[in-house]
Structures are given as C-alpha cells and as structure tokens.
Amino acid sequence: MTDQPTQPDAQVPSDQPQPISDRGSNRSRRPESDAFRTFMASAWGPRPDTLPEREEVADFLPRRHAAAGALFEGERLVIPAGTYKVRSNDTDYRFRAHSAFAHLSGLGGEKEPDTVLVLEPRSDEDASPTGHEAVLYFKPRASRTSREFYADSRYGEFWVGARPSLEEVSTATGLRTAHIDTLRDALAKDAGQVRLRVVRGVDTAVQTMVDEVRIQAGLPAGEDARADDEKLEEHLSEIRLCKDAWEIAQLRKAVDVTRAGFDDIIRALPRAVGHHRGERVIEGAFGAVAREEGNGLGYDTIAASGDHANTLHWIDNDGEVREGDLVLVDAGVEVDSLYTADITRTLPVNGTFTEVQARVYQAVLDACEAALARANEPGCRFRDINDAAMKLIATRLEEWGLLPVSAEESLAPEGQQHRRWMPHGTSHHLGLDVHDCAQARAEMYMDALLEPGMCFTIEPGLYFRADDMLLPEELRGMGVRIEDDCVVNQDGSVTRISEDIPRTIADVEAWIAQVQQR
C-alpha cells in the first residue's frame, strides 16, 4: 500500500524529540518545492460539464424529513454521516455511513465520509414552525491547483478519486448543499432561541462542535443534553419501522443478490469438503458475490458446519466441512443503497438430508410456517410471531421426548425449558441495519401491531450440541436454522420476499443438484 502524505513535514527543533503524532511522515520524502507545485497544477484536462441524474430516492426524502422533524418543530437536528474508523495505525476500514444519515440523505455506498445532514427549522412570517429544510454539509472536491489535490490522502483526488461538487450532490439528492467549513456558523445561528439535538457517538468532532455551540448559547450540553439527543436517535430509529416503496424495492434487490451468493456457495461445497478451512471457502464464495454485485456484506457471514452451527454467531469460520454434515449459512448482501438481506439456509453438504437431519429440519420449517401463518392473522403483534414459532418448537420437542415437562408447561413464563434448544428470538426488523430500528421503544417494536411497510425476518432454529447429554446420540452435533425476509403488504398480508430461495427438503436437495450440475 502506498505511503500517505497527509501533512507537511513537521518542523521540530533539533534539540527536542519528535512528537509521536508527527512520526508517520518519517518513512517518506515528499516534494514541496514551488517548482513541483506549479508543475503539478498544470495541464489537466477539463472536468465533465454534465450533472448527474436525479436519484430515484430523492422523491422519497421529503416525506422522511417531515417524519424525522415531526416531534422537534423549531429545533435544529444534526445527523452526522460519521467518519473513517482506524483499522490499524494509518489504515482505515472502508467507510459506511450511519444508518440514520443514509435514510435521510439517500446517500449509499461509501458516500460521503465527514458529511453532516442538518434539518434546519423553518417558520412563517408569524414565526410559527413550518417544518424543516434538509441541508447537506460536506467537503467538495478541491481545485487541481491546491495541495489537497495531490497530497491529502483523506480527501485528495490523486488518492481517493474526485469528490463531487456541491452542485452535483444537490442535483442527485434534491437537497440544498453547503461547504462543511460553514457548519459551525450554521449551528450557531440563533442558538439559544433554537434548540439543538445531535445523534451521538457517530462523529466526535461534530458532537464536540454542537456542545461548544450549546455552551456558548447557554443551552444544556454534554451529559445534560443526553436525554434530548437520545430522544432524537430513538425517533430516527422508529420512523424506519415502516419502509416506503423504494426501500422495499432495495430489500428485494438485496435478497435477489443474496440468492446468487447462495448459488455460489453450493458450487463451492465440493471444494469446501477438501479444504482444511472449508467454512472459509463457503464464506469467500458468498463474499465475492456480495462485493461484485453489491456494496458488500450486510454482516459477517456465518458458515457453520456440523457442531459449529450450535454457536449462534459463529463467524470464525475456520473449521472443516465434512461429508454428511449440515452446514448452516447465515448471510446477506448489502446493496449499494446500504439495505441488506438476512437469509439463513441449512444445507446438506453431500446434497441429501439423512432421515434424522430431515426430521429436525422439517420441525424448524414447520415453525417458520406457523410464524408466517400467525403474521397473516388480523391483529397480530410482532411478539406473536415469536410465540407461534416457539409453540411449534416446544410441541415437537415434547413429541420427541426431550422436554422434562409438557409443551404447555414449557411455554409458560415460569417454564421455558424448550429454550435450551432455541435460545434466540424468532424475528427482528430488517432494513439499513441487519437488526434494524434497534433503538425503537418496546411498544413500537415488540408490542406493536404489524403495519404495512414493516420488513422483518422469521428465523426459528434447533441447536443440538455434541456435548448435550440430554439428547439421544443421533441428534447430537447438528444445528438447523431457516431464515426468511418478509414484508407487510398494503392490504395487511405478509409475504416472504425470499420465497424464491429454496427452503423445503425436496426443493433444497433439488437446488443443490441443479446448481452443481451446471
């Protein structure tokens, strides 16, 4: 990886030690002569003079802004995109914007680090609040005559490519744009008369700036403002509970690409069997599709063969894949808009379920169907989906003689013995985050009635560990989970977005045979 000359050489008196912060430049020599600067700034061709097309998402942003500001009339709301996070020393992770920012700006992919969206309060002639105007503050590309152009590894065009102009971003998003250098003045305008809220924990520099403005204006700051700020974060999470048509289309796209990733997993199974880290063969096959066809992974892939499937978040993926195993793969592609799928399929490595594997798999599949059937009943609350799946699981465990009590007793709050073999919940909301809307209140999430636009998973499982002495030997060392992505339609019915990814025993076996014959 090339050296990163982000700062000019430090001038340190010879009798003083060089500060740690300046030592990153010791490994390189950078040209700083006037002749070089003049030469570097010369003879570049013209930039394209065409503006980008307006993005489809731009038409959905005003409604989102209105929803975001509805509880905070007359207040200035600050939503940072975030910044790069250090991976090691001077190398960073790829940038991924905070989900609240992505939702309200429409910017996906790796656009734009260090950007801030401000919902600026508006008022009429009588000073009565009239909603908010969204303004994007970011650092546009610099002139080719500037030092930034060739020497700044964070923003320079030579290092990271050409950043867009203010006009280009405004055209694409339909939002007013402004230079990030004007943000402080914008935040300070009428501060004291105008209250500020900021999404915390996203960008330390922006949060500090907001607190400085608050202090100067005599407003609560720091921990004294935490409750106000967290109310904003909670609200921005809750307005994502019901997706608009554009968001649902993005989730469908994510599921389609995820299906392609699972196809490549199946193609890779024979090679995985012969590899000392077969689980990583599976992980890599999916990851390649995610990066080629989307923005990347929505979360770290779980590729768990045999007994590893009983570790719910097994992401080490360093084990072998053996003939006769079931391999549990929990994976999702995040598309360029940053919406992600979340799919789990449990596949027989050799293409065929054994009788015992099929019995366990069918129980989990029946729990999926019971949960979806409950979701389609009038008056269903989110928590009812989980209850329906758990009832089926407990019933099967009782039929197999595994429960020390009846299924009914186990399902009671004072029981729950069945949870030994299914300790997680059945569903979570899905969207920009794989566990979307996580800051929402319980009454808006778990206890809420299903509403059109809600997107969520159904993912029951059974986990039979190899060292579980309560199990007959034939069941030990296998884990099964089936996970689908669902949407509540405008008529209140619930359908699986992921219906086309095979899930029955016969269809899974046929899928494996068909893909591996190509």
Side-chain angles (χ1 to χ4, degrees):
M1 186 176 183
T2 51
D3 185 33
Q4 301 185 11
T6 58
Q7 301 293 333
D9 293 322
Q11 300 298 315
V12 180
S14 59
D15 61 343
Q16 295 183 18
Q18 185 184 28
I20 286 286
S21 59
D22 292 338
R23 295 182 192 178
S25 62
N26 290 345
R27 66 186 182 277
S28 65
R29 298 179 62 187
R30 295 164 290 179
E32 293 291 349
S33 68
D34 290 341
F36 170 77
R37 292 174 184 172
T38 300
F39 186 66
M40 195 66 175
S42 65
W44 299 105
R47 297 186 187 277
D49 57 4
T50 57
L51 292 173
E53 294 184 2
R54 179 182 169 92
E55 299 284 349
E56 182 184 358
V57 69
D59 294 334
F60 294 84
L61 297 180
R63 184 184 292 271
R64 298 181 194 177
H65 299 153
L71 294 186
F72 311 109
E73 289 284 5
E75 299 185 32
R76 185 169 291 128
L77 310 178
V78 184
I79 303 98
T83 189
Y84 289 105
K85 293 179 172 62
V86 174
R87 183 184 185 276
S88 65
N89 191 25
D90 60 353
T91 59
D92 297 322
Y93 290 103
R94 288 174 48 228
F95 174 72
R96 202 278 193 187
H98 188 274
S99 294
F101 174 88
H103 183 240
L104 295 173
S105 70
L107 294 176
E110 298 182 44
K111 310 170 190 175
E112 289 286 336
D114 307 314
T115 298
V116 181
L117 179 76
V118 175
L119 293 182
E120 186 68 29
R122 296 183 297 192
S123 59
D124 59 21
E125 295 178 354
D126 299 325
S128 299
T130 57
H132 292 81
E133 178 188 18
V135 186
L136 272 176
Y137 292 85
F138 72 98
K139 188 178 183 66
R141 64 172 172 263
S143 164
R144 287 164 171 162
T145 61
S146 69
R147 188 178 183 281
E148 177 186 304
F149 169 64
Y150 65 85
D152 190 330
S153 65
R154 189 184 189 90
Y155 298 114
E157 188 171 337
F158 243 69
W159 292 87
V160 298
R163 293 172 66 84
S165 68
L166 296 176
E167 185 180 14
E168 287 168 348
V169 172
S170 182
T171 300
T173 62
L175 306 179
R176 181 158 69 89
T177 56
H179 199 292
I180 192 67
D181 290 349
T182 67
L183 176 61
R184 180 181 288 273
D185 288 342
L187 297 182
K189 180 183 177 183
D190 300 327
Q193 301 175 43
V194 175
R195 193 174 178 182
L196 284 81
R197 297 180 193 251
V198 63
V199 178
R200 290 173 168 248
V202 180
D203 189 320
T204 301
V206 173
Q207 188 170 323
T208 299
M209 184 186 297
V210 169
D211 275 338
E212 289 172 352
V213 169
R214 285 165 161 167
I215 291 169
Q216 291 169 1
L219 295 170
E223 287 303 301
D224 292 337
R226 177 177 291 277
D228 287 346
D229 292 340
E230 290 183 347
K231 184 64 178 177
L232 172 62
E233 183 179 8
E234 171 189 280
H235 182 63
L236 296 183
S237 191
E238 291 178 352
I239 65 172
R240 302 207 311 270
L241 284 165
C242 294
K243 273 61 177 176
D244 57 39
W246 185 87
E247 293 178 281
I248 293 171
Q250 292 301 304
L251 285 172
R252 290 185 180 280
K253 180 178 180 181
V255 168
D256 288 344
V257 182
T258 297
R259 160 66 192 262
F262 271 89
D263 285 347
D264 272 17
I265 285 171
I266 291 172
R267 292 187 187 96
L269 282 176
R271 187 166 73 88
V273 170
H275 196 283
H276 70 287
R277 285 185 170 178
E279 291 172 342
R280 290 196 184 174
V281 173
I282 293 171
E283 175 189 341
F286 187 86
V289 174
R291 195 72 178 116
E292 291 168 15
E293 304 298 334
N295 187 55
L297 298 172
Y299 52 95
D300 287 335
T301 298
I302 298 169
S305 188
D307 197 43
H308 284 169
N310 298 308
T311 300
L312 299 181
H313 287 173
W314 176 259
I315 58 173
D316 288 351
N317 300 338
D318 60 358
E320 295 181 9
V321 174
R322 297 180 176 87
E323 288 283 353
D325 275 356
L326 295 178
V327 59
L328 185 159
V329 183
D330 189 333
V333 173
E334 178 184 83
V335 291
D336 291 338
S337 61
L338 304 184
Y339 286 79
T340 184
D342 183 8
I343 302 295
T344 305
R345 290 293 183 265
T346 304
L347 308 171
V349 172
N350 62 10
T352 304
F353 292 94
T354 67
E355 184 277 328
V356 173
Q357 290 169 348
R359 188 191 338 148
V360 177
Y361 188 95
Q362 188 62 51
V364 174
L365 184 62
D366 290 345
C368 290
E369 297 301 331
L372 182 64
R374 181 65 184 93
N376 274 289
E377 294 177 5
C380 180
R381 296 185 183 275
F382 194 77
R383 55 178 157 78
D384 296 336
I385 302 170
N386 179 78
D387 292 347
M390 289 296 180
K391 182 177 181 180
L392 192 288
I393 291 291
T395 299
R396 288 290 181 273
L397 293 171
E398 180 186 26
E399 291 170 356
W400 297 342
L402 298 181
L403 289 179
V405 295
S406 69
E408 183 179 1
E409 290 173 297
S410 183
L411 289 164
E414 61 274 15
Q416 300 295 299
Q417 289 88 345
H418 63 286
R419 299 299 294 273
R420 177 185 177 106
W421 296 290
M422 187 184 162
H424 62 81
T426 305
S427 298
H428 58 78
H429 279 266
L430 183 68
L432 281 163
D433 294 331
V434 65
H435 296 153
D436 208 26
C437 313
Q439 288 72 42
R441 292 165 290 170
E443 60 265 31
M444 299 292 290
Y445 197 127
M446 188 59 65
D447 297 332
L449 290 167
L450 298 188
E451 296 183 36
M454 286 184 172
C455 296
F456 54 86
T457 66
I458 293 178
E459 51 174 316
L462 280 170
Y463 308 94
F464 295 150
R465 297 176 64 92
D467 58 356
D468 188 342
M469 296 297 104
L470 292 183
L471 295 172
E473 189 171 352
E474 64 179 4
L475 291 179
R476 295 176 198 165
M478 76 170 79
V480 174
R481 182 163 67 248
I482 303 169
E483 179 179 20
D484 286 289
D485 301 343
C486 302
V487 61
V488 183
N489 304 307
Q490 289 303 308
D491 64 0
S493 64
V494 177
T495 57
R496 283 187 288 256
I497 298 174
S498 51
E499 185 66 37
D500 291 339
I501 303 179
R503 52 203 304 282
T504 68
I505 291 172
D507 287 348
V508 168
E509 292 179 342
W511 180 27
I512 294 172
Q514 181 182 30
V515 169
Q516 291 185 347
Q517 286 172 1
R518 292 175 189 167

